[in-house]
Amino acid sequence: EDGAIQMSLFDTQNLGEVTDPDFPGERLILCHNPLLGEKRAKQREDMLQATEKELARVAAMVARGAAGGRAGLQGAAKIGERVGRVVNKYGMAKHVVRTITDTSFSYERDEASIAEEAKLDGLYVIRTNVAPRRLSTAEVVLAYKSLEEVEIAFRHFKLRELEVRPVYHYLEDRVRAHVLLCMLAYSVQRTMERALAPLLFKDEAIPDRDDPVASAPRSAEARRKEQTKVTADGFPVHSFRTLLAELSTLVKNRVIPCGADRQAAFDLTTQPSPLQTRAFDLLGLGLKAM
């Protein structure tokens, strides 16, 4: 509103940095993601259409009420209450102009309000007080986006592969120990995922990211695995969880021959499948050593 951000900045680029007196000592990183803009525009249109569908039903009820119908709706207060529930349900009250009387109700889109909001579709601002000598404009954006890795880690802790149960500790040293164990387990998982990437729906070599604002690029090999569900070696592509399930069938048994002394006992590993052999080779764990 004050003109600190010139919309023409994004005509030729999708990233810029400005300062503003309202945010002293901070850098404001402006980002424009066209795909995000399209998504928000579609969501707004979907919500508008859903709102109009509900409002049409209210208008029909008001019309029946004006005609003396038993299922009609009359009275500005009652009509307004019903209309309020509809527009607040989808959060579109600011984009719909309503006219209500005791016996009538009409509505229309507020095109000016919609157009004003549409100007900001796909735009977001990252605030930071980190000095430019430590992080460039692009590096600030990448650092912000890396927070997604933290969210993914927490999901792994609670919901996915690690399935860490809720454990309620009250002593500080036990809390620290619990968090440490979680982090160590996740570190092992991440190390395994990197090594097993040729068998997983993951990039074996993450492509360089020329545009920090755009979605992270995927390698051609990762896209190929996603489409064909087959690795370059001809194995079925797995998630980390399903691959662990495949590996879990490989066990080592302690065999003691009947009637023999315990010193004659030996270890016997189940016959590995080609997939299991490949996975252990990628992990650098030869099955012969087992």
Side-chain angles (χ1 to χ4, degrees):
E1 295 176 355
D2 299 331
I5 301 175
Q6 300 297 326
M7 300 303 294
S8 59
L9 170 70
F10 301 108
D11 291 343
T12 57
Q13 61 190 55
N14 59 6
L15 182 64
E17 181 175 338
V18 299
T19 58
D20 191 281
D22 292 336
F23 303 93
E26 293 187 4
R27 301 161 59 196
L28 306 180
I29 313 300
L30 315 177
C31 305
H32 177 237
N33 187 333
L35 295 179
L36 178 61
E38 294 176 4
K39 180 180 179 180
R40 288 181 177 174
K42 184 179 184 304
Q43 288 177 337
R44 182 173 52 250
E45 179 61 28
D46 290 344
M47 293 299 98
L48 281 169
Q49 290 184 12
T51 300
E52 290 173 332
K53 184 177 180 180
E54 295 285 343
L55 290 178
R57 294 175 180 174
V58 177
M61 294 172 62
V62 174
R64 287 197 297 270
R70 296 180 59 183
L73 184 63
Q74 291 182 335
K78 291 184 178 180
I79 296 173
E81 180 182 355
R82 185 62 178 268
V83 170
R85 291 205 303 266
V86 172
V87 294
N88 291 326
K89 177 180 179 180
Y90 299 103
M92 293 289 107
K94 59 185 175 181
H95 295 324
V96 179
V97 179
R98 289 92 66 190
T99 303
I100 300 173
T101 68
D102 286 335
T103 57
S104 67
F105 165 60
S106 62
Y107 62 92
E108 61 180 349
R109 292 190 181 190
D110 189 339
E111 298 295 347
S113 174
I114 296 172
E116 190 68 20
E117 183 178 273
K119 293 179 181 179
L120 301 180
D121 286 347
L123 293 175
Y124 58 94
V125 179
I126 301 173
R127 296 166 51 189
T128 181
N129 58 2
V130 177
R133 65 177 180 276
R134 292 187 56 192
L135 288 178
S136 66
T137 301
E139 289 171 339
V140 169
V141 179
L142 293 177
Y144 167 73
K145 290 197 170 187
S146 69
L147 294 177
E148 181 183 13
E149 296 295 327
V150 178
E151 297 174 359
I152 293 174
F154 276 103
R155 288 200 296 270
H156 279 293
F157 286 159
K158 302 300 181 183
L159 302 176
R160 295 187 179 179
E161 287 78 8
L162 296 180
E163 294 184 345
V164 178
R165 295 182 304 159
V167 180
Y168 302 98
H169 294 296
Y170 301 96
L171 300 179
E172 182 178 350
D173 58 343
R174 293 187 178 183
V175 173
R176 290 179 178 274
H178 179 67
V179 173
L180 174 61
L181 289 175
C182 291
M183 294 302 298
L184 289 176
Y186 185 61
S187 178
V188 171
Q189 177 186 326
R190 289 292 298 269
T191 301
M192 291 180 66
E193 285 180 334
R194 285 194 291 268
L196 295 171
L199 299 177
L200 304 175
F201 289 101
K202 288 185 174 293
D203 282 299
E204 299 171 38
I206 299 177
D208 293 334
R209 194 167 185 165
D210 298 328
D211 186 353
V213 178
S215 300
R218 300 203 67 190
S219 65
E221 176 60 16
R223 293 195 299 270
R224 188 198 65 77
K225 288 191 295 185
E226 191 171 281
Q227 292 173 355
T228 64
K229 306 297 188 296
V230 177
T231 70
D233 298 330
F235 295 110
V237 186
H238 283 270
S239 67
F240 187 69
R241 177 188 286 271
T242 60
L243 184 56
L244 286 184
E246 289 283 346
L247 297 180
S248 68
T249 62
L250 183 65
V251 297
K252 181 167 64 175
N253 300 297
R254 185 68 172 172
V255 181
I256 303 177
C258 182
D261 188 85
R262 284 185 175 275
Q263 294 182 351
F266 60 93
D267 293 330
L268 181 64
T269 304
T270 54
Q271 183 66 32
S273 67
L275 175 62
Q276 292 171 332
T277 301
R278 173 62 173 152
F280 274 83
D281 287 343
L282 290 172
L283 292 171
L285 303 172
L287 288 175
K288 292 182 179 180
M290 297 179 60

